[in-house]
Amino acid sequence: MAQADALYDEIQTIAARYPQRLSAVMPALRLAQERYGWLPPDAFREVGEALDLTPAYCKAVASFYDMFHLEPVGRHMIEVCTNVSCALVGAQQVLEAFEGELGVEAGETTEDGEFTLRTIECAGGCGWGTVVSVDHRYREPVKPDDVPAIVEELRNGSE
Amino acid sequence: MSTPEIVTVTVDGREIQVPKGLGMIETALEAGIEIPVFCYEPRLGAPVGACRMCLCEVEGMPKLQAACTMTAQDGLVLSTAQTSAKAAEGQNAVLEFILLNHPLDCPDCDKGGECPLQDLTFRWGPGATRMRFEKRTFDKPIPVSPLIALDRERCILCYRCTRFSETVAEDGQLVAINRGAGSIITTFEDEPYRAHFSGNVLELCPVGALTSTTYRFRARPWEIQNVPTVCGLCPVGCNTWATTREGKVARILSRNHAEVDEGWLCDKGRFAYAHLTAEDRISVPRRRVRRRGFEPLSWEGALDEAERSLKEAGGPVVVAFSGGETVETATAIARLVKEGLGGGSALLPDTFHPALDRFRAPISAIRDADVCLVFGDEPVVERAPVLDLWLRAARRGGAEVITLNPAGSAALKPGSAAWAAAQLQAESPAEELRDAKRSLDAAERVAIVWSEDDSTGGVHALALAESLGDKASVYLIPRTPNGRGVAAAWGDPGSLPDGDIGVLIVSGDEAAGSPDVRDLAERARFVMTTAMFESEGTLWSHLVLPGTSYLERDGTTVNLEGRPQRQRRAVAPPAEDDLAFFAGLAGRFGVDVGPWPTMLPDDHAVLPEIESFEGEVSVPKTSAPKGGGKELAVVRYRSLFSGPAVERVDQLQFQRPQAEIELSYEDASARGIDRGAEVTVQSNGTSRTLRARVNRRLRKGVVRIPSEHAEGLQDRVEVRSG
Amino acid sequence: MAPSEQALMKLLFADAEGRDLTRLAEYEQVGGYESLKKALKMKRQAVLDELLAADVRGRGGAGFPMGRKASFLPKPEDSTKPIYLVSNADESEPGTFKDREIMARIPHMFIEGVVIASRVIGANTAFIYIRGEYLTEFEILRDALEEARNAGLVGPNVLGSGWDLTVVVHRGAGAYICGEETALLESLEGKRGQPRSKPPFPAISGVYASPTLINNVETLATVPKILEIGGAEYAKLGVEHSTGTRVFSLSGNVANGGNYEVELGTSLRELVYDIGGGIPDGRELKAIIPGGSSVPVLTADEVDTALDFDSMAARGTMLGSGAVIVMDDRCCMVQLGLRVAQFYMHESCGKCTPCREGTRWMVSILRKIEDGEASQGELDLLLNVCDRILGNCLCPLGDAAAMPVASYVAKFRDEYQRHIDEGGCPFHGDSTLDHVMAPVDQHHARIRAEIEVPA
Ligand SMILES: Cc1cc2nc3c(=O)[nH]c(=O)nc-3n(C[C@H](O)[C@H](O)[C@H](O)COP(=O)(O)O)c2cc1C
Ligand code: SF4
Ligand code: FES
C-alpha cells in the first residue's frame, strides 16, 4: 500500500493546484506513467481512487492522448517525426536507419525491452528537421548517419 | 418563475410563435417539421452537436448549422432539408459518412423496424454506395455485461450511451476510448457494465449497436404489444411499457413521466420481469396435510378451505403485508378482516404520518431545490434508485446535496438521522452540522429526503420541514413499493397480540420471507399465505395461494410522493389474482368487494392536491448516537439487487452485492488491510470472510456491509486481515 | 546560419541575440517587466485601449483581434464567476515551432504578457497549456515562473498592487486537437480533448464554465512590447489589418530553416530567398504552404504574395499559424495530400461524424490514387468528399484537412491525373515524400488492425 499511498498523496498535492480537482487527471496519469513506465490497469485504478473517478474514466482520458502508453514500452523511447517538414528533408531515411540499427519496425519495442521506436506527428522543430525525440529530449537535426551514435549512446547508458 | 418571452421563428416558411430559448428541434416540431437527429437527446444535458445529422440553413449564416445546438430567437429563419437544397446536401453528406461503417444488416438487427438510421437511410439515403473500401470490422457483438451486448460495427459514435453513463447516472463505467476513427465504446478492461441504471443505454442507442441480451432476436416489432403500466419494484413507481409477445413479457421500456422518472429506469425495474417465469413459481393453491406434505386444491376448494379455517381458528387475526399489494387488494384484505372477521391487527412494512402530505412535491422538484438534505444510512440509490438520479441532476444544476450518513458529505455516526434533523432545527447545532445549517438557512428551496426505515412515519423530517416553512418538501422513502398505499388502505395498524394468534394472513413474498413474520407464524393456529415463489414461509403455511406480480394484475399503487398510479395487467397470472381471491373470500363473510378494481387513475397520473392536516405532530426526543469502543459499528443496507424477484433472474446475478465490507481508510490502514484483501469479520462468535473495500469517505470506526452478507453479525464487529 | 539581418525586423527577439533572457536579471536589464509596472499603474480599460489601438491579431491561427476578444469578457465586477486567462502553448500545427522558441528564449516576455493580459481582464488565475512534448520548454518556463514568483511579479499581491495572480502550467499529452481552444479547455478540465459546440464562446463560458480569454503564446508575448512602444506606434508596423511583426517558422526544402521575425507584409519571396537562403541542392521551388499544413497551398508563381492576412486571403489561403513550408520539385503532391490527410485523420478527435469519417475516407482515396488503383471517378469523389466535410463539422479540424487537399488537387490537377493515367506515381519512388511512414500506418500495422484503412 505504501507506494500507492505515495502516489495518492502526490496526486492530492497536484489536485490542490486547480480550481477543480478533475483538472489533475492528466498530471496524475503522467505521474503514474512515470512510476510504472506505462499505464497498466492498476495505474488507472490508483489514479481513479485518488481523484474519485472510475478507472474507465481515467483510461478514456489517457487513451485520447498519444503520450500515454496503454501497453508496455521500452526503457528508451525513440520518436521520429515524419510529418511533412521533416519528411521533406529525409525523415523516412532517418526512421529506416533506426529500424536497421535496432532491428525493429516503427511501433515496436526491442526484444530486450530497451527501445521503443515510433513515428510521431509534427514535433515542432520543423526548421531543424529531422526531429527525433529521444527520451523526450529533442535531437535536431538528425541525419541517417547520426543514428548509430545515438543508439550507441543510449546503449551505453549515458543518458 | 416568470413567463418566458414569446418569439417568432420561421421554419421552412412557416411562422410560429414559441417561447424564446426553446430548442430548435422542438421549435421545428411545433411547426410540424421533424429534423433528423442522432446525438441530440435533451435529457442528456446540453446538446453536443456531434453527429451533425441535424444540419440546417439559417438565414444570415454562411455555414450550415447544427439545429440541435440552436434555440429559438426572434426573427430566426431556418430552412431544413425539406426546403433548402444546401441543408439537404449537408444531411445527405452526414448520412453517407455515417453509413461508411454501418453494416446495413437491418434484417438481422433487433432494432430493425424501430431504427431511426434505417428510416433515414430509406428516406434520404443514397441509392448506390460510393464507398469502395472496407468498412471497419470488429468482433461480432460482445457482451458489455450479461444484460447488454454491443455491436461496434453498428455503432455510429453518437456518444449518447457514454453521456448517459457520465452525466446522468454518473457511474463512469461506459466510456469511449481512443481517438478519431479508432474510438470505441467500452467498459474498463473486461469488467462488466455493473451499475444501477445500465439498461437505459439500450433505449438511448439510436441504432442497433447496444441491444438487450434478454430481448435479442426474441421478437420483431410487429409481433409485439406494449402495455402502459407502472413498475412495482420500488417506491418510485417509474412509468413503463411492458412489451409482451405471445402472452409473455418480453421487455420493459420506460414511459417518460416527467415528474417521476424522466424516462429512466433502474436495471431491476427493467430486467427483473423474468422472475414471472421462474421455475419455482407457485401456480395452484394448496394446503398442508400432516407435517410437511401438501395437497393441491382447486380455486373453489381453496376458498372453501380458507373459509372453513378462518371460521374454525378463533383468536386474534393478524395480517402481514409485503407492501407490494395493490391498494385494491390491500383494501379487500382490510375489509375481509375488519368487516368479515371482526377486526385484527397488521404488520405494515411502512408507516406515513398524515401531516407529511403538507410537504408533498413531485420528485422532479428535487432538481429545482438549491439544497437537498439526505438523511439516513441507506444509500438512496438502493432504496429508490431513480430518485438518486434526480439528486444527481440537482447537484449538476448547482444545488448543494448534503448527505448525512457515515459516508456522507457530513459523515455522521450511524443512526444519526433523527438526531441530525433535530439539530438542524436548533439555533446552533452540533459542530459537524454547522455547515449544513448555514446552507439550509440561505436556501430558497430545500428537498428533504429520508432514506432509511422510520417507524415514526416521518415525524423528524416533518418537524424539520415545518421549521423551514414553505421552502421545504419532504420525500420519505418507504421500504416497499406500495407501502404508502397499503398503509393508507389498512389504516391504524393496531397492536399485535402477545400470545396465541388465531389467523395469520401472510400477503406476498416479502412478508413470507421475513423473520418477524416467521415469529408470528410460530404462534398462529392457521397461516394463510399468498406467494409467487417457494420460500420458508410457504413451507410453514397451512394454505398457500399463488401470488401475482405487478405485471399480472390491474390496480393502483401509491408511490413515495403519494401519487396513486395505475398498474395494468400485461400478462395473465398462472391462476386468478390476489384481489379475486380475497374478494371471493370476503363474499363468504358477507362483505361485498368487487373482484376487479374500479376508479383507476390515469396512465400518466397526477399528484393529488395537498391536504391540510389539523392534528398535532408529536416528535419523540432524540439523542446523539453513542460511539466509541474499539469495535467497528456496522451499517447494513439492502441492495437494490436483492429480494425474491432478482434472485430468480440469471442475468441479474452479476448485479447482486458482492461479499464485501467497506472500511474507512483509517481503519484499513490501522489494521494493515489492503484494498481487495480478504478479511475476517467477527462478532459474538459469528464470523464471516469478506473482501475489503476501502472507502475514503467512510467515517472512521464504521463499516458498511450489504445486508445479505451481514447475516448473523451484531451491530459491532471486529475486523482483521486474513 | 546567418540570414540577412537587414531583412529581419525584430521586436520580440530584438534583445535576445547574445543574451540569456531566460534569466530574470538579464531580462530586467533590457527593460523586462517595465511594461507590467506601467500596466499596473494604468486603469484596466486604458491597457485594453492600447491593445485595441495596436490592432494586434491573434497569432494562433484564426487571427482574431486580441483587444476585441478581450473586450467580450464581462468585467470582473459584473461577473459572478471567476475570470481566467488561458495561454495556448499547444503549438502542434505542422510546420509551426515559433511558440517553442519564444518560450525557450524569451520566456519572461511571454510571462509578462500573461500577467498583463490577466490584469486587463481581471483574472486571478492564468493557465498555460503547453504541449506535452515540449519538455525542455516546460522546464524553462517553470524555472522562469519560479524566478518571477520569487520576485513578486507573479503570485499574491503582484508588485504590491494588491492583485493576486496564480499561474499554472498545464502540460498536454499529445493531441493536436487540444490546440483548438474549446478542446483545450476540455482537456484542461480533465476530460478527453474534444471540442465544444459554440456558442457559448469561451469569453462567456470557458474553462470551468467561467469567462475565459484564450490567446496564443506569441500573441501574449507581444503585449509587453505594445505597452512599451504604445499601441499606436505598434500599429505603424506591418500593413493595414496586419499590424506588427510575426515570427514565421520556415521549414522544408529551404537552405536555412528556422524562425524569423519579420514585419507583416513582407513578401514570401523575401522570407524564402533573402532570409531563408532559397532552395538548396539546385532544385526548383514547386509549392509553398504559407500558414501551417491546414491552409491551401500556393504555387511557385505565387511566391510574391505578401505575408499578411489580406494578401493571403486574396490568394484563397491563410496566414494561419505562420508556418511556411517550402517544397521543391521533388515533392509529389499526391503524397503530400496523403501525408496531410493522414495527419488530420490521426488527430481527428472522433466526436463529429464528417471529420471522423471523412478524413478516413480521404486517406483511403488518396492512397488509391498514389498506388495507381483509383479510377477517374475517384478523383472527383475525393473533391466531393472534401466538399462534404467543408463547413459541416463541429470544429475547424475537418476543414483543416479538406481545404489543403482540395487545393492540391485544384492547383496540381495534372499531377493527380497522371497518377490515374499512368497507373501509379509518376515520381517512381524519387519523391521526397515517398513511402513516409505516418503514425496512423504504424498503428494500422500493429496496434489497431480493426480500424484498418486498406490500400
Ligand atoms: C484544429 C485546431 C488546432 C489549433 N491549434 C492551435 C495551436 O496549437 N496553438 C494556438 O495558439 N492556436 C491553435 N488553434 C487556434 C485556437 O483555437 C485559438 O483560436 C487560438 O488559440 C486563439 O489565440 P489567438 O487569438 O491569440 O490566436 C487551433 C485551432 C484549431 C481549429
Ligand atoms: S453504442 Fe449506440 S448510443 Fe453508444 S455511441 Fe454507439 S450508436 Fe451511440
Ligand atoms: S442531432 Fe444535432 S448534431 Fe447530432
Side-chain angles (χ1 to χ4, degrees):
Chain A
M1 201 135 186
Q3 188 187 323
D5 268 357
L7 184 65
Y8 183 93
D9 293 339
E10 270 180 75
I11 294 175
Q12 303 314 315
T13 314
I14 295 172
R17 279 186 214 140
Y18 292 93
Q20 292 184 11
R21 290 166 54 82
L22 185 58
S23 286
V25 66
M26 268 164 63
L29 287 166
R30 183 177 293 110
L31 215 58
Q33 180 157 294
E34 281 165 15
R35 287 282 146 84
Y36 287 97
W38 61 295
L39 290 170
D42 270 341
F44 295 123
R45 293 194 178 97
E46 285 168 28
V47 170
E49 189 181 330
L51 292 173
D52 236 330
L53 300 168
T54 60
Y57 181 88
C58 297
K59 185 164 178 176
V61 171
S63 66
F64 189 85
Y65 301 95
D66 289 339
M67 292 176 73
F68 291 125
H69 306 302
L70 307 186
E71 287 175 42
V73 291
R75 207 159 65 81
H76 296 294
M77 180 60 100
I78 298 175
E79 296 166 303
V80 182
C81 169
T82 63
N83 203 290
V84 176
S85 300
C86 284
L88 285 169
V89 296
Q92 181 62 22
Q93 288 67 44
V94 173
L95 177 67
E96 283 166 16
F98 274 112
E99 289 181 334
E101 196 65 29
L102 297 170
V104 293
E105 285 181 49
E108 290 180 341
T109 301
T110 54
E111 263 172 34
D112 59 8
E114 280 294 298
F115 299 94
T116 294
L117 175 68
R118 65 173 191 169
T119 59
I120 51 170
E121 291 297 8
C122 181
C126 325
W128 312 297
T130 297
V131 182
V132 176
S133 167
V134 175
D135 294 333
H136 309 295
R137 302 284 174 187
Y138 286 6
R139 312 273 175 117
E140 48 198 353
V142 174
K143 301 287 166 208
D145 288 350
D146 304 329
V147 168
I150 294 174
V151 174
E152 181 67 17
E153 172 199 325
L154 294 171
R155 283 222 169 95
N156 291 341
S158 52
E159 296 189 78
Chain B
M1 256 184 263
S2 56
T3 39
E5 186 189 329
I6 298 295
V7 294
T8 302
V9 178
T10 310
V11 183
D12 287 341
R14 290 177 224 182
E15 258 190 27
I16 44 159
Q17 267 81 41
V18 292
K20 182 176 174 163
L22 183 69
M24 198 48 69
I25 303 297
E26 290 78 9
T27 302
L29 274 181
E30 287 285 315
I33 291 154
E34 191 186 335
I35 300 173
V37 297
F38 286 117
C39 68
Y40 181 63
E41 167 52 75
R43 293 178 300 152
L44 298 176
V48 290
C51 75
R52 316 304 288 172
M53 193 61 228
C54 62
L55 289 175
C56 286
E57 199 173 345
V58 178
E59 203 177 85
M61 296 205 188
K63 286 204 233 169
L64 294 176
Q65 300 292 315
C68 71
T69 63
M70 306 185 65
T71 55
Q73 305 296 333
D74 201 36
L76 191 134
V77 179
L78 182 94
S79 306
T80 75
Q82 301 183 22
T83 56
S84 153
K86 192 174 167 195
E89 159 63 13
Q91 289 190 1
N92 273 333
V94 172
L95 194 57
E96 185 178 40
F97 285 133
I98 287 175
L99 294 174
L100 276 183
N101 287 314
H102 201 77
L104 292 176
D105 55 349
C106 311
D108 299 328
C109 177
D110 279 328
K111 201 83 177 184
E114 46 184 28
C115 174
L117 180 58
Q118 191 185 24
D119 295 347
L120 281 173
T121 309
F122 188 72
R123 255 197 291 168
W124 299 99
T129 172
R130 308 193 295 165
M131 300 152 241
R132 283 202 243 124
F133 71 107
E134 285 166 38
K135 301 188 180 231
R136 281 190 286 175
T137 56
F138 292 105
D139 289 341
K140 267 297 167 186
I142 53 155
V144 169
S145 79
L147 298 167
I148 300 170
L150 166 63
D151 186 333
R152 291 195 176 123
E153 289 182 358
R154 293 187 189 145
C155 171
I156 61 166
L157 289 170
C158 68
Y159 303 104
R160 282 183 174 206
C161 54
T162 55
R163 279 153 61 210
F164 172 79
S165 170
E166 185 179 349
T167 61
V168 177
E170 299 180 355
D171 59 49
Q173 305 243 357
L174 194 67
V175 294
I177 60 161
N178 302 336
R179 196 172 67 201
S183 308
I184 51 168
I185 305 301
T186 187
T187 56
F188 186 63
E189 308 293 315
D190 294 329
E191 294 173 10
Y193 185 11
R194 190 169 182 277
H196 286 67
F197 304 98
S198 72
N200 291 293
V201 301
L202 297 170
E203 284 191 66
L204 286 168
C205 184
V207 295
L210 290 166
T211 49
S212 161
T213 55
T214 57
Y215 185 70
R216 304 190 75 229
F217 312 121
R218 297 281 147 72
R220 305 297 295 176
W222 51 88
E223 299 170 342
I224 58 178
Q225 274 187 303
N226 288 322
V227 182
T229 186
V230 168
C231 181
L233 293 171
C234 96
V236 174
C238 295
N239 291 206
T240 59
W241 292 107
T243 299
T244 65
R245 178 176 176 259
E246 290 174 357
K248 289 212 170 74
V249 178
R251 70 176 172 193
I252 302 285
L253 296 178
S254 64
R255 185 170 59 88
N256 194 334
H257 192 311
E259 290 188 346
V260 177
D261 51 58
E262 216 187 15
W264 308 127
L265 294 180
C266 77
D267 284 3
K268 185 173 177 178
R270 185 181 299 274
F271 296 110
Y273 64 85
H275 74 282
L276 265 59
T277 52
E279 274 177 17
D280 64 344
R281 185 83 200 258
I282 296 169
S283 57
V284 286
R286 68 178 191 221
R287 74 170 170 197
R288 192 156 95 192
V289 287
R290 284 184 312 271
R291 300 221 86 202
R292 286 234 147 163
F294 286 104
E295 167 183 288
L297 293 171
S298 69
W299 194 252
E300 279 303 311
L303 278 171
D304 294 344
E305 173 77 10
E307 182 187 350
R308 189 180 52 76
S309 303
L310 289 186
K311 283 182 174 154
E312 280 172 6
V317 178
V318 176
V319 184
F321 284 102
S322 281
E325 300 83 356
T326 59
V327 170
E328 290 78 4
T329 301
T331 306
I333 296 174
R335 291 191 57 203
L336 164 69
V337 172
K338 292 180 178 177
E339 297 171 31
L341 304 179
S345 52
L347 195 60
L348 293 171
D350 291 290
T351 40
F352 272 81
H353 196 285
L356 269 182
D357 282 352
R358 245 193 299 165
F359 298 98
R360 170 151 63 209
I363 299 180
S364 57
I366 290 176
R367 190 163 54 184
D368 306 327
D370 36 26
V371 171
C372 303
L373 280 176
V374 184
F375 293 91
D377 292 350
E378 288 200 46
V380 171
V381 72
E382 310 290 352
R383 245 178 123 89
V386 164
L387 194 146
D388 192 57
L389 293 183
W390 290 101
L391 285 169
R392 289 175 188 275
R395 188 190 286 124
R396 284 194 303 277
E400 187 184 0
V401 177
I402 302 170
T403 45
L404 303 143
N405 68 59
S409 54
L412 307 180
K413 287 181 190 145
S416 294
W419 169 78
Q423 285 290 310
L424 286 172
Q425 296 163 56
E427 239 355 87
S428 65
E431 176 68 41
E432 54 218 300
L433 289 165
R434 263 182 222 153
D435 286 347
K437 170 81 176 165
R438 217 165 294 131
S439 304
L440 213 51
D441 289 344
E444 279 171 26
R445 294 234 33 93
V446 180
I448 300 171
V449 176
W450 200 274
S451 186
E452 63 180 25
D453 291 357
D454 182 355
S455 57
T456 71
V459 298
H460 301 288
L462 197 55
L464 176 59
E466 253 165 13
S467 78
L468 293 169
D470 282 346
K471 66 184 185 181
S473 50
V474 177
Y475 304 88
L476 181 69
I477 306 175
R479 181 148 55 90
T480 61
N482 190 27
R484 193 157 182 168
V486 169
W490 180 271
D492 181 6
S495 47
L496 295 175
D498 288 332
D500 280 357
I501 293 171
V503 174
L504 175 64
I505 299 174
V506 181
S507 165
D509 294 80
E510 289 284 339
S514 147
D516 293 344
V517 176
R518 203 214 147 94
D519 293 345
L520 293 174
E522 278 170 4
R523 296 190 265 140
R525 261 195 297 282
F526 175 66
V527 182
M528 183 174 97
T529 299
T530 54
M532 289 178 69
F533 306 111
E534 300 295 352
S535 68
E536 250 191 89
T538 58
L539 294 180
W540 42 247
S541 299
H542 301 94
L543 177 64
V544 178
L545 294 146
T548 50
S549 147
Y550 62 97
L551 289 160
E552 297 169 334
R553 63 194 177 210
D554 285 294
T556 306
T557 180
V558 181
N559 78 348
L560 67 91
E561 306 160 287
R563 184 190 306 266
Q565 302 198 98
R566 173 171 196 171
Q567 279 174 341
R568 275 176 193 266
R569 171 177 291 186
V571 290
E576 303 247 7
D577 66 22
D578 327 42
L579 177 57
F581 180 79
F582 285 108
L585 193 55
R588 304 268 177 122
F589 290 87
V591 184
D592 182 19
V593 180
W596 48 77
T598 51
M599 301 286 291
L600 284 166
D602 289 343
D603 281 329
H604 252 133
V606 296
L607 210 50
E609 294 281 302
I610 289 182
E611 284 165 38
S612 61
F613 173 78
E614 302 300 333
E616 276 280 294
V617 180
S618 69
V619 186
K621 264 204 122 35
T622 62
S623 56
K626 285 192 266 305
K630 53 181 214 320
E631 290 177 314
L632 302 172
V634 181
V635 169
R636 18 181 135 222
Y637 63 93
R638 189 160 166 193
S639 159
L640 176 68
F641 297 103
S642 62
V646 171
E647 281 163 22
R648 285 170 176 80
V649 181
D650 286 347
Q651 285 100 336
L652 276 176
Q653 296 310 300
F654 81 105
Q655 293 273 35
R656 306 266 314 261
Q658 323 229 322
E660 279 183 342
I661 177 170
E662 279 172 78
L663 291 152
S664 72
Y665 175 73
E666 293 83 354
D667 292 325
S669 306
R671 288 164 178 76
I673 297 170
D674 279 350
R675 133 158 64 77
E678 281 204 342
V679 297
T680 305
V681 185
Q682 220 166 4
S683 67
N684 272 358
T686 314
S687 101
R688 287 185 152 259
T689 304
L690 299 171
R691 212 149 13 86
R693 195 162 104 207
V694 178
N695 179 346
R696 297 219 181 219
R697 270 179 304 198
L698 191 60
R699 183 188 171 99
K700 179 171 176 283
V702 180
V703 296
R704 223 159 46 163
I705 314 175
S707 313
E708 60 197 79
H709 297 297
E711 267 167 43
L713 294 175
Q714 307 286 314
D715 288 344
R716 302 208 149 256
V717 294
E718 297 267 19
V719 178
R720 61 185 156 71
S721 96
Chain C
M1 273 191 262
S4 72
E5 286 283 333
Q6 313 85 299
L8 292 179
M9 155 68 215
K10 287 190 179 168
L11 191 64
L12 307 191
F13 285 104
D15 301 310
E17 234 57 64
R19 281 202 194 83
D20 180 5
L21 294 189
T22 63
R23 292 175 44 218
L24 179 59
E26 290 213 30
Y27 182 59
E28 281 177 334
Q29 272 170 25
V30 297
Y33 289 106
E34 287 304 322
S35 294
L36 172 60
K37 286 174 195 155
K38 202 163 164 184
L40 288 174
K41 291 195 200 98
M42 294 161 72
K43 287 232 154 53
R44 272 203 301 269
Q45 184 60 44
V47 184
L48 184 57
D49 287 342
E50 290 298 321
L51 298 178
L52 287 164
D55 199 20
V56 58
R57 293 174 67 167
R59 285 3 183 177
F64 197 85
M66 185 205 177
R68 270 186 47 213
K69 188 150 75 179
S71 58
F72 292 155
L73 275 88
K75 295 206 174 64
E77 53 274 22
D78 298 338
S79 176
T80 52
K81 293 180 163 165
I83 290 172
Y84 295 100
L85 180 93
V86 173
S87 170
N88 189 341
D90 194 51
E91 189 168 70
S92 315
E93 172 74 9
T96 322
F97 50 102
K98 63 185 178 75
D99 295 341
R100 178 178 162 210
E101 187 154 347
I102 290 171
M103 290 185 286
R105 291 180 58 204
I106 47 171
H108 280 291
M109 194 178 297
F110 169 46
I111 292 168
E112 188 177 358
V114 167
V115 181
I116 297 172
S118 300
R119 171 74 182 172
V120 169
I121 57 169
N124 294 112
T125 307
F127 294 101
I128 298 173
Y129 187 107
I130 180 171
R131 71 178 288 188
E133 292 86 348
Y134 284 176
L135 174 57
T136 305
E137 293 70 21
F138 161 72
E139 289 167 352
I140 294 170
L141 207 55
R142 181 195 58 197
D143 295 347
L145 260 174
E146 184 60 28
E147 267 190 302
R149 236 178 251 125
N150 291 338
L153 298 157
V154 166
N157 193 10
V158 174
L159 291 176
S161 64
W163 164 67
D164 306 336
L165 179 69
T166 307
V167 180
V168 179
V169 185
H170 187 89
R171 297 179 64 197
Y176 162 72
I177 188 60
C178 292
E180 192 283 330
E181 56 188 19
T182 60
L184 184 152
L185 298 176
E186 288 281 294
S187 179
L188 178 57
E189 287 181 5
K191 302 175 187 152
R192 291 158 60 81
Q194 295 188 320
R196 301 173 181 169
S197 157
K198 290 189 277 195
F201 289 92
I204 305 301
S205 178
V207 70
Y208 310 127
S210 305
T212 305
L213 176 66
I214 306 175
N215 275 120
N216 169 260
V217 170
E218 186 185 347
T219 317
L220 289 166
T222 306
V223 169
K225 284 292 169 190
I226 293 173
L227 281 200
E228 184 186 315
I229 64 176
E233 202 55 33
Y234 181 87
K236 290 183 189 154
L237 298 171
V239 296
E240 206 189 353
H241 299 145
S242 300
T243 59
T245 65
R246 260 194 98 155
V247 183
F248 286 97
S249 299
L250 185 62
S251 69
N253 302 127
V254 61
N256 304 313
N259 288 312
Y260 302 103
E261 187 184 1
V262 300
E263 223 169 319
L264 280 160
T266 305
S267 81
L268 252 181
R269 179 185 295 281
E270 210 176 332
L271 180 67
V272 174
Y273 288 95
D274 303 346
I275 300 173
I279 317 298
D281 310 327
R283 310 299 309 197
E284 290 287 307
L285 173 66
K286 180 173 185 178
I288 302 179
I289 294 173
S293 71
S294 62
V295 309
V297 72
L298 294 175
T299 62
D301 296 343
E302 296 170 296
V303 70
D304 287 309
T305 309
L307 287 160
D308 62 70
F309 290 98
D310 294 346
S311 304
M312 287 294 160
R315 291 277 181 195
T317 186
M318 290 175 284
L319 217 46
S321 60
V324 177
I325 307 174
V326 182
M327 281 148 289
D328 68 24
D329 53 356
R330 290 169 302 176
C331 175
C332 165
M333 298 313 274
V334 174
Q335 290 174 3
L336 177 68
L338 178 59
R339 187 64 190 86
V340 166
Q342 281 175 320
F343 170 75
Y344 291 101
M345 167 181 157
H346 180 70
E347 302 297 345
S348 171
C349 82
K351 183 169 177 178
C352 84
T353 313
C355 171
R356 180 183 69 233
E357 305 301 338
T359 51
R360 200 166 70 90
W361 201 355
M362 284 172 63
V363 167
S364 134
I365 302 171
L366 281 158
R367 176 164 284 144
K368 277 164 93 179
I369 297 175
E370 168 61 13
D371 292 349
E373 287 163 11
S375 63
Q376 187 61 42
E378 275 164 303
L379 190 49
D380 295 323
L381 179 61
L382 174 63
L383 284 174
N384 184 247
V385 170
C386 291
D387 203 41
R388 289 191 141 186
I389 295 172
L390 257 174
N392 288 341
C393 301
L394 175 64
C395 92
L397 191 140
D399 292 358
M403 277 189 310
V405 170
S407 81
Y408 307 157
V409 182
K411 294 196 171 171
F412 297 90
R413 180 99 190 186
D414 288 354
E415 203 171 313
Y416 277 75
Q417 190 60 46
R418 278 184 67 193
H419 280 74
I420 292 168
D421 296 345
E422 295 173 21
C425 183
F427 286 83
H428 301 294
D430 289 334
S431 159
T432 38
L433 295 182
D434 199 63
H435 277 104
V436 174
M437 160 83 81
V440 277
D441 283 336
Q442 138 202 324
H443 283 271
H444 138 238
R446 282 164 241 297
I447 299 172
R448 301 193 295 200
E450 76 271 37
I451 61 147
E452 150 157 359
V453 180

